[in-house]
Amino acid sequence: MAASILPKFEFFEKININQLNPSGATDIPIEKTTCSSSGAGFLAFGDSEGKINIVNREFLVSENFGFNLRVHLLHQPKLREYLLSVGVDDSNQILRIWKVSQQDNSFSLSKYKDIRLNVNSTCSCIAATNTLSQIAIGLCNSHVILIRDVLKDRNPTQNIFQIKADDPITGVSFCERTNNIFLFVVNQGSVNVFETKSGNKGEQLDAIGADINCITSTEEQELVIGNKDGIFFFTPEGRGACLAIEQPKKLMWFRGYLIVVSDDPTKQRNSFVTVYDLKNKFIAFTESFHLFAHVMIEWNSLFIVTSEKKIFQLNEKDTQSKLENLFKRNLYTVAIALAKSQNYDDSSITEIFHRYGDHLYKKGDFDGAMAQYVYTIGRLEPSYVIRQYLDAQRIHNLTQYLQALHEKNVANSDHTTLLINCYTKLKDESKLNEFIKNDSSTQSFDVETAIKVCKQAGYVDHALYLAVKHGYQDWCLKILTEDSQKFERAVEYLSTLDFLDAEKSFKIYGKALVDTLATKAIELIYRLCNNYTPTESKNFPRVANASKSISTLFGIENEDRTRKNSKPEDFFNLFVDNRDALISFLEMFVDHYKISKAATSTLLELYLRAEQKEKREKALDLLKKKYSDFDVDHALVLARLANWKEGIIFIYEKLGLFQEILKAYIEDKDNKSILRLCKIRGSEEPNLWIQALNYFAKEEIDSQKDIIDALSHIEAENILPPLVVIQILSKSKLPLNVVRNYITNSLQQQEKDIAEDQKNIKTLEDETEKMRGHIRQMKTSSTTFQLSKCFMCSGKLELPAVYFLCQHSFHQRCLSETEKFCPICASSYQTILKAKESFALEANNHELLVKELNGKPDGFKVVASFFGRGLFSNIDELGPDAPLIRKMQ
């Protein structure tokens, strides 16, 4: 950076101290002064007579005798209570540390410690760390003295090392880091750095040097040197920035300013004192001083001391005054930089940008003005700027500002609308892509507004991109189905949604999908009804944005999230006016799913309405499905309305209405089906044979073969009594040869049955008589037991013993106390008792009697069976009918 091109300002006010305090200022022995220092609330001057003169704030001078001969160096460390000096006592160079005492506004020095320097060369410069843990002194013979622990050790060690070149040391400076301390050593030909905590290990940073007094350091402890080539900055790592300035005589650092003293080429024995603001790149003050001697920093001011005993104080003006000066000169860029360096608050800096933007706008520099208005975002109301750029010719500037609003996350929905409209009017699709496809987390905008505007402007793909990226499920489906009509992609997108979102979305947008992509739409519905799981898609990556989901939009986000199955009937309304698609949909569920009654009934109705043989066959297959679950009554109504005989008969079978089935066959005069039904179900319902025989009897000649077949089956299975059969057939005019064989066989069978029954009666009478005789014998005669062993343990029978009338005997010990019956005969006895109890219960079950009388064609056989079970065992309970029943017995 060249200093000659920097703007110059008068940001410091010069005060002549001699005019304010003429007596005090003239007491300073400037003509004898050899060195100076400041920083502890006073100005210190060392002279050639060994005195140290202290100047307080009132510029009153107090003399202190420092050395016998001469004061070479003064240095004020950060520890304000100490002052370092190097001078000569009796030809010995001594580092003398002074303790500074203050009383009111006066200062005094008391000797704290003397350290004799074991060198033969003159000391040229001095530096110290902030805590005085280390002191460095440069010598004219290219050596450096490093003294550690000055305050702690009584006799601190002096470590002397030499720079390779033979040039005198012109400056030393410390740079303190967290884990190390670096020492800069400068001579006229090089800049070197040493690590003082690791054995004074050093290296050369650069082959440029500086003269005495042309070395200083910043607040960050960067080294600053000046020579004929310019001003250079150094850190322990190497050289940094540089500034092109003519050969300086002295450098100092003051509150971020670099103070440079240089010769005034226009006047002899005059020197320029220039104050540089390197951060903001301007000169804050410059003036030529006659016979310059010292520049010092104290009390937040600069003090210029001349050899004429004149003292000038330079006071920095306040920031607001500086800014007003810059505003008058329209130097807004400098004003902004200055305000930032002074840590002005954001609102104040924004106001400067505002004024700068207005200034450029009035000049007609609309691009430059917009560049400044962008910096006001967040503080200045956007409408102020937008109103100025609504002219169509300035749409580019307006676009720039609206982009910045979004980048800084302060745009509202109106700004988003306006920006996208700007892009569309400019037909700048690349900028529109950059805006909506920006993945940066620093830019945000009202996504829904952007979707709407893109959609209205015809940029459907952009609207879709935003909807997918930000998880606006409803907008995504609306665009795919209504605007772009990309139905296959809509199905693909639906497949990636969670169950509740997919279910609700399909109910809303599924009609268009069913009408255009019936197969894929039906497959998706099947997935929704059968343990639905979302799929992955490269075109539609899943976005976790629950607040924009369909379920949230329609208030169903609190429904059971574990539910994974829809009901097929929930989607029936989507198939309005699309019968074929609905049939395909329901057929898929019939084949793979146990559908509801409503779904089955719907599919059955669709089949029957088609009035096609193929559909009727499918309808019958539907009813026969293993897992079909349908409303039988509803199905029967549909079958009757469609006059569908096969379906009617199947449903009758489902309901067990075999009488109705027989009537249907009789109406159709389907003799084969009549015989088949009677042969299958006639043994369970004999009345079917009775109705069939009545039908065949009426048909006479046409049914003779069927009657013969029926009689053969009735005879073989003994289903009907012959008398009933003959009574039915006697009403017809059938030839005798049709029933001759049946009658003959029936009479022969009855004769056999009578003979068998008589034989059984004789056998039972004999057994009964025998049992009665045995009972009489047991009641009237004694029973002799000649048993010799126990039937339980097979041991010899010994008393006490137990004998039963059934001729079984046991040891008493082999029986339990609760046994009252013979253990061997007990099971047979219990079986008889249970059978007797069962007969008694059945005999008293009048409902069972009535049921069997109605269901069996041979009522006499039923009554006889109940009579045998003891139907009239309690004759006395029958009242007036008791004598009649007893007489019948």
Side-chain angles (χ1 to χ4, degrees):
M1 180 176 66
S4 59
I5 63 174
L6 297 178
K8 299 178 181 179
F9 303 102
E10 293 295 329
F11 287 164
F12 282 82
E13 181 183 6
K14 185 178 73 172
I15 301 173
N16 191 335
I17 300 300
N18 299 75
Q19 296 176 356
L20 298 177
N21 192 348
S23 59
T26 57
D27 291 339
I28 302 174
I30 297 298
E31 67 280 358
K32 299 178 182 179
T33 299
T34 57
C35 56
S36 62
S37 182
S38 60
F42 57 84
L43 306 177
F45 296 90
D47 61 23
S48 58
E49 296 178 351
K51 296 178 183 178
I52 300 176
N53 298 285
I54 303 298
V55 181
N56 65 10
R57 193 154 192 169
E58 280 74 31
F59 295 93
L60 299 178
V61 181
S62 60
E63 292 184 353
N64 295 271
F65 290 95
F67 297 90
N68 292 338
L69 295 180
R70 183 183 179 88
V71 180
H72 284 312
L73 302 170
L74 287 176
H75 180 70
Q76 178 62 58
K78 293 291 184 181
L79 289 175
R80 296 167 62 93
E81 63 267 29
Y82 297 99
L83 177 66
L84 306 183
S85 64
V86 176
V88 181
D89 268 355
D90 300 330
S91 72
N92 294 317
Q93 290 192 93
I94 297 173
L95 170 62
R96 183 162 290 161
I97 302 175
W98 302 91
K99 189 81 171 180
V100 180
S101 302
Q102 180 179 5
Q103 186 174 3
D104 296 330
N105 198 28
S106 63
F107 296 87
S108 61
L109 301 178
S110 59
K111 187 164 61 176
Y112 176 75
K113 180 181 288 189
D114 278 356
I115 300 174
R116 183 175 178 178
L117 303 176
N118 301 320
V119 294
N120 296 323
S121 180
T122 303
C123 298
S124 58
C125 52
I126 185 172
T129 60
N130 293 337
T131 60
L132 283 182
S133 61
Q134 298 182 27
I135 297 175
I137 300 173
L139 305 177
C140 291
N141 62 356
S142 73
H143 286 72
V144 177
I145 303 173
L146 183 61
I147 306 172
R148 294 183 173 87
D149 299 325
V150 176
L151 300 181
K152 295 180 181 180
D153 292 350
R154 192 167 187 178
N155 295 308
T157 303
Q158 299 181 36
N159 184 9
I160 301 175
F161 56 94
Q162 183 181 10
I163 304 302
K164 292 181 180 181
D166 294 332
D167 296 333
I169 304 301
T170 56
V172 289
S173 179
F174 283 100
C175 177
E176 299 181 52
R177 298 284 177 87
T178 304
N179 299 320
N180 207 344
I181 298 176
F182 297 91
L183 173 63
F184 292 108
V185 179
V186 183
N187 59 22
Q188 292 179 337
S190 65
V191 176
N192 306 273
V193 64
F194 296 85
E195 298 182 27
T196 62
K197 283 191 175 183
S198 58
N200 300 331
K201 180 182 178 181
E203 63 175 333
Q204 181 177 302
L205 294 180
D206 209 329
I208 58 174
D211 294 332
I212 292 177
N213 294 328
C214 292
I215 299 164
T216 187
S217 62
T218 66
E219 288 94 342
E220 293 78 21
Q221 297 186 332
E222 285 185 272
L223 177 69
V224 186
I225 69 170
N227 56 33
K228 63 180 180 178
D229 296 322
I231 305 295
F232 300 92
F233 290 77
F234 289 89
T235 65
E237 291 74 29
R239 192 170 81 174
C242 63
L243 177 65
I245 296 179
E246 296 180 1
Q247 176 72 47
K249 293 167 55 179
K250 187 176 182 65
L251 295 180
M252 292 193 75
W253 193 265
F254 168 62
R255 293 169 55 181
Y257 293 106
L258 176 64
I259 315 301
V260 179
V261 180
S262 58
D263 291 330
D264 184 351
T266 63
K267 296 180 181 179
Q268 291 185 354
R269 306 181 69 184
N270 273 30
S271 299
F272 273 116
V273 176
T274 306
V275 181
Y276 290 94
D277 187 334
L278 300 181
K279 183 176 182 180
N280 298 315
K281 298 180 177 56
F282 64 81
I283 297 173
F285 177 84
T286 183
E287 189 167 331
S288 179
F289 291 90
H290 185 60
L291 298 175
F292 169 84
H294 301 278
V295 58
M296 308 172 75
I297 301 169
E298 192 56 78
W299 307 304
N300 291 324
S301 298
L302 284 173
F303 290 92
I304 311 297
V305 182
T306 69
S307 299
E308 299 174 323
K309 293 188 177 183
K310 292 181 180 180
I311 302 177
F312 299 95
Q313 182 177 355
L314 302 182
N315 291 331
E316 186 178 7
K317 295 179 181 179
D318 63 90
T319 305
Q320 189 58 40
S321 298
K322 297 179 186 178
L323 292 176
E324 291 299 331
N325 189 344
L326 295 171
F327 293 155
K328 291 177 182 178
R329 298 170 61 177
N330 294 326
L331 298 175
Y332 291 98
T333 55
V334 180
I336 292 168
L338 177 63
K340 289 181 178 179
S341 67
Q342 298 299 317
N343 297 321
Y344 259 45
D345 60 87
D346 292 340
S347 60
S348 300
I349 296 175
T350 300
E351 181 59 29
I352 299 174
F353 280 115
H354 182 189
R355 294 178 65 167
Y356 189 21
D358 290 346
H359 168 70
L360 295 175
Y361 188 86
K362 290 177 182 178
K363 288 175 59 178
D365 184 1
F366 301 116
D367 293 340
M370 179 54 70
Q372 306 311 315
Y373 285 137
V374 167
Y375 290 110
T376 67
I377 292 174
R379 296 286 179 178
L380 181 63
E381 176 60 38
S383 59
Y384 173 83
V385 180
I386 293 172
R387 281 197 301 268
Q388 298 187 83
Y389 286 87
L390 288 177
D391 192 327
Q393 296 179 350
R394 300 170 192 164
I395 190 172
H396 293 281
N397 300 121
L398 179 59
T399 304
Q400 177 188 354
Y401 183 73
L402 292 170
Q403 281 179 322
L405 286 176
H406 286 83
E407 290 171 359
K408 297 185 178 182
N409 298 329
V410 294
N412 58 30
S413 58
D414 293 332
H415 299 147
T416 302
T417 302
L418 189 56
L419 176 58
I420 296 178
N421 283 328
C422 287
Y423 286 144
T424 55
K425 287 183 179 180
L426 292 171
K427 299 188 183 304
D428 193 345
E429 189 169 344
S430 62
K431 281 288 185 181
L432 181 59
N433 289 335
E434 181 181 348
F435 174 70
I436 67 173
K437 297 182 180 181
N438 188 357
D439 295 329
S440 173
S441 59
T442 60
Q443 175 176 304
S444 67
F445 53 89
D446 188 328
V447 176
E448 190 166 12
T449 299
I451 294 173
K452 292 178 182 177
V453 176
C454 288
K455 185 172 177 289
Q456 292 170 358
Y459 289 84
V460 176
D461 291 339
H462 295 77
L464 178 62
Y465 174 85
L466 286 173
V468 173
K469 178 181 178 181
H470 297 279
Y472 283 79
Q473 299 172 359
D474 186 54
W475 277 109
C476 183
L477 290 168
K478 188 176 295 184
I479 293 169
L480 288 172
T481 57
E482 297 176 5
D483 297 288
S484 61
Q485 295 187 349
K486 296 178 179 178
F487 300 107
E488 289 190 7
R489 296 192 67 188
V491 173
E492 181 183 355
Y493 179 71
L494 274 169
S495 300
T496 66
L497 302 182
D498 292 332
F499 174 74
L500 288 180
D501 299 323
E503 180 187 49
K504 186 63 179 180
S505 300
F506 200 92
K507 289 179 180 178
I508 298 172
Y509 299 102
K511 183 68 171 68
L513 301 179
V514 168
D515 292 342
T516 54
L517 292 173
T519 302
K520 290 189 176 182
I522 291 170
E523 289 175 355
L524 180 55
I525 297 176
Y526 178 76
R527 288 180 52 209
L528 288 171
C529 297
N530 191 21
N531 295 323
Y532 173 83
T533 54
T535 58
E536 297 294 332
S537 171
K538 294 181 179 179
N539 295 323
F540 303 105
R542 291 173 61 82
V543 178
N545 189 0
S547 62
K548 306 304 178 186
S549 65
I550 289 283
S551 56
T552 302
L553 183 64
F554 288 90
I556 60 174
E557 70 276 8
N558 295 323
E559 287 191 10
D560 183 11
R561 287 277 174 182
T562 62
R563 184 169 65 88
K564 298 297 181 184
N565 293 301
S566 300
K567 297 178 181 179
E569 52 267 27
D570 292 343
F571 303 99
F572 285 177
N573 63 302
L574 304 178
F575 294 88
V576 174
D577 300 328
N578 198 339
R579 181 184 299 177
D580 293 337
L582 181 56
I583 291 175
S584 300
F585 164 60
L586 292 175
E587 284 179 342
M588 174 176 285
F589 281 91
V590 169
D591 293 336
H592 304 93
Y593 195 74
K594 185 177 180 180
I595 59 177
S596 65
K597 292 182 178 180
T600 309
S601 298
T602 302
L603 180 57
L604 179 62
E605 184 176 356
L606 292 171
Y607 281 151
L608 296 180
R609 284 186 179 182
E611 296 183 356
Q612 298 173 1
K613 182 179 180 181
E614 179 184 356
K615 298 297 183 183
R616 295 292 174 97
E617 291 175 354
K618 286 187 175 182
L620 189 59
D621 290 340
L622 172 65
L623 295 181
K624 293 179 179 180
K625 286 290 182 182
K626 181 178 180 181
Y627 294 105
S628 291
D629 183 13
F630 55 89
D631 186 335
V632 177
D633 295 334
H634 187 221
L636 182 58
V637 171
L638 293 175
R640 285 178 172 173
L641 290 175
N643 194 25
W644 181 38
K645 294 294 182 64
E646 295 88 344
I648 294 173
I649 291 173
F650 176 83
I651 295 172
Y652 282 159
E653 288 181 358
K654 187 85 173 177
L655 295 174
L657 301 176
F658 302 108
Q659 300 283 348
E660 299 296 327
I661 297 175
L662 184 60
K663 289 180 181 179
Y665 288 153
I666 290 174
E667 289 178 2
D668 293 340
K669 295 184 178 182
D670 187 354
N671 294 355
K672 291 183 179 179
S673 297
I674 293 172
L675 286 173
R676 184 178 65 254
L677 175 64
C678 290
K679 288 177 181 179
I680 295 173
R681 297 293 179 180
S683 58
E684 299 174 5
E685 295 191 28
N687 286 331
L688 294 176
W689 283 111
I690 295 175
Q691 293 183 32
L693 290 175
N694 281 316
Y695 164 70
F696 290 143
K698 292 179 182 179
E699 294 297 319
E700 297 180 353
I701 298 174
D702 294 337
S703 302
Q704 290 183 11
K705 292 182 179 180
D706 296 323
I707 291 175
I708 294 171
D709 189 4
L711 292 176
S712 298
H713 191 80
I714 293 171
E715 178 186 350
E717 297 292 333
N718 194 22
I719 297 173
L720 294 176
L723 184 59
V724 173
V725 174
I726 293 172
Q727 286 178 345
I728 294 172
L729 296 178
S730 63
K731 299 176 182 179
S732 65
K733 298 180 180 179
L734 290 171
L736 182 60
N737 61 349
V738 175
V739 295
R740 180 185 297 120
N741 291 335
Y742 173 75
I743 295 173
T744 302
N745 293 335
S746 297
L747 291 175
Q748 291 175 353
Q749 184 62 39
Q750 285 186 358
E751 289 178 356
K752 290 180 181 179
D753 292 340
I754 292 171
E756 184 67 26
D757 290 341
Q758 288 177 348
K759 182 179 178 181
N760 291 334
I761 290 171
K762 177 62 176 168
T763 302
L764 291 173
E765 286 179 347
D766 292 342
E767 290 179 356
T768 302
E769 186 60 30
K770 183 178 179 181
M771 291 175 66
R772 286 175 178 171
H774 185 63
I775 293 171
R776 282 195 301 269
Q777 182 180 359
M778 286 192 297
K779 288 182 177 180
T780 57
S781 304
S782 61
T783 302
T784 302
F785 298 96
Q786 296 180 349
L787 303 171
S788 60
K789 67 175 183 177
C790 174
F791 280 86
M792 184 68 72
C793 65
S794 299
K796 185 178 180 181
L797 195 62
E798 298 176 350
L799 297 177
V802 178
Y803 297 90
F804 291 95
L805 293 176
C806 59
Q807 297 300 313
H808 294 123
S809 58
F810 305 89
H811 292 116
Q812 187 177 11
R813 64 176 179 270
C814 292
L815 300 177
S816 64
E817 296 180 358
T818 58
E819 283 186 303
K820 298 180 180 180
F821 304 101
C822 172
I824 296 174
C825 301
S827 58
S828 302
Y829 181 66
Q830 292 294 333
T831 302
I832 295 171
L833 286 179
K834 289 180 180 179
K836 186 176 180 181
E837 291 174 0
S838 175
F839 288 158
L841 290 174
E842 291 179 356
N844 294 323
N845 189 346
H846 299 156
E847 293 180 358
L848 178 61
L849 173 61
V850 173
K851 182 178 180 180
E852 291 201 12
L853 285 173
N854 293 331
K856 299 289 179 67
D858 193 350
F860 180 80
K861 187 176 181 179
V862 174
V863 173
S865 174
F866 272 80
F867 186 80
R869 297 174 189 174
L871 177 63
F872 303 120
S873 58
N874 297 326
I875 298 175
D876 295 334
E877 296 179 1
L878 299 177
D881 296 330
L884 178 61
I885 299 300
R886 189 175 286 112
K887 183 178 181 181
M888 291 174 61
Q889 289 182 330

